[in-house]
Amino acid sequence: MTQRRVLVVEDEPVIAESVAARLRAEGFAVDLAVDGPGAVAAAERTVPDAVVLDVMLPGFDGLEVCRRLQASRPVPILMLTARDDENDMLVGLAVGADDYLTKPFSMRELAARVHALVRRAVRTETQPVSTLRVGDLEINRAERRVHRAGAEAQLTPTEFDLLLYLAERPRAVLPRERLLAEVWGWADTTGTRTVDSHVKGLRRKLGADLIRTVHGVGYALEAPR
Ligand code: CA
């Protein structure tokens, strides 16, 4: 099995070292960066399987790092946010982070989250290119056809794009703003109702249990068995 590589971006040496030591002990190859520009350069050089990213960084912050990484080569990101800063968490999820941990966190929790992110990424890359399967849901990208439990659903093009985006990130909490930006390409986030109405359409056609509402944030696709 190939060793998975994690990039740790943190300017506080004590935290950076303990995170790196724990992840190495868990079997990961670990690279370190201490500021925004360094993080982007390191990610290009090392092609990590996951990134542990502090929000408060010199140069430019973790949110900007996240934006740049997801724009060039998407990678699972675990964001480290300051205690009780809900705004950082929400913005982080909106710009492409997959998960977040609030400081202070336990190394055990951190290790568990990183393992989960990497597992998810590995699963995605080992699936055949044209067909995506999540539980009883099957999406054929090339033909743009969707089946659930063997029954085909007729989706509009936007419903299909939204479902595919959700299904490529099973169980990840995706804020309405991020869905608008990624699926619709809208920078203006006043249209979040649009997301709600398309989710409603998907639930009607594919079953109400498929997409979970995360109150005040957005949606997550639950992998039905
Ligand atoms: Ca920091």
Side-chain angles (χ1 to χ4, degrees):
M1 199 181 121
T2 42
Q3 194 183 25
R4 297 290 158 179
R5 187 166 280 278
V6 180
L7 173 63
V8 175
V9 187
E10 170 61 87
D11 59 319
E12 291 160 65
V14 176
I15 301 179
E17 276 313 315
S18 9
V19 168
R22 177 61 188 246
L23 293 177
R24 287 187 182 115
E26 298 280 334
F28 294 108
V30 179
D31 302 290
L32 287 168
V34 296
D35 57 27
V40 173
E44 273 168 23
R45 200 174 59 243
T46 67
V47 194
D49 297 292
V51 178
V52 175
L53 180 61
D54 185 32
V55 172
M56 299 295 289
L57 291 171
F60 45 81
D61 70 10
L63 300 173
E64 182 58 26
V65 172
C66 197
R67 270 185 210 106
R68 294 192 190 193
L69 294 187
Q70 301 304 37
S72 57
R73 185 193 291 115
V75 57
I77 294 178
L78 173 64
M79 190 84 87
L80 305 178
T81 65
R83 173 174 31 97
D84 299 332
D85 198 335
E86 202 186 30
N87 194 47
D88 274 355
M89 179 271 281
L90 291 175
V91 175
L93 292 172
V95 296
D98 292 274
D99 199 359
Y100 69 96
L101 264 183
T102 304
K103 289 180 173 181
F105 50 84
S106 76
M107 288 300 152
R108 174 200 287 262
E109 185 63 23
L110 174 103
R113 301 290 187 94
V114 172
H115 278 296
L117 277 189
V118 171
R119 266 199 306 275
R120 201 187 288 163
V122 170
R123 207 168 36 235
T124 309
E125 80 199 20
T126 54
Q127 289 191 342
V129 183
S130 63
T131 304
L132 175 67
R133 285 189 188 83
V134 185
D136 63 359
L137 185 69
E138 189 180 307
I139 304 176
N140 187 311
R141 290 189 180 89
E143 297 174 10
R144 295 179 65 88
R145 294 170 72 176
V146 175
H147 290 78
R148 184 168 185 199
E152 184 164 11
Q154 303 297 330
L155 304 186
T156 67
T158 303
E159 284 170 350
F160 180 88
D161 291 340
L162 175 60
L163 179 70
L164 181 61
Y165 192 83
L166 290 164
E168 283 172 334
R169 298 155 184 82
R171 285 175 301 280
V173 176
L174 300 166
R176 289 181 177 80
E177 293 77 9
R178 175 167 162 192
L179 293 170
L180 266 186
E182 299 291 327
V183 179
W184 278 263
W186 293 3
D188 174 8
T189 58
T190 54
T192 51
R193 283 272 174 212
T194 304
V195 180
D196 298 343
S197 67
H198 283 82
V199 167
K200 207 166 156 185
L202 286 174
R203 282 175 173 155
R204 188 164 45 76
K205 294 174 182 178
L206 290 163
D209 60 329
L210 189 65
I211 299 168
R212 181 169 65 92
T213 300
V214 182
H215 187 69
V217 182
Y219 297 100
L221 186 123
E222 297 298 309
R225 307 270 164 221

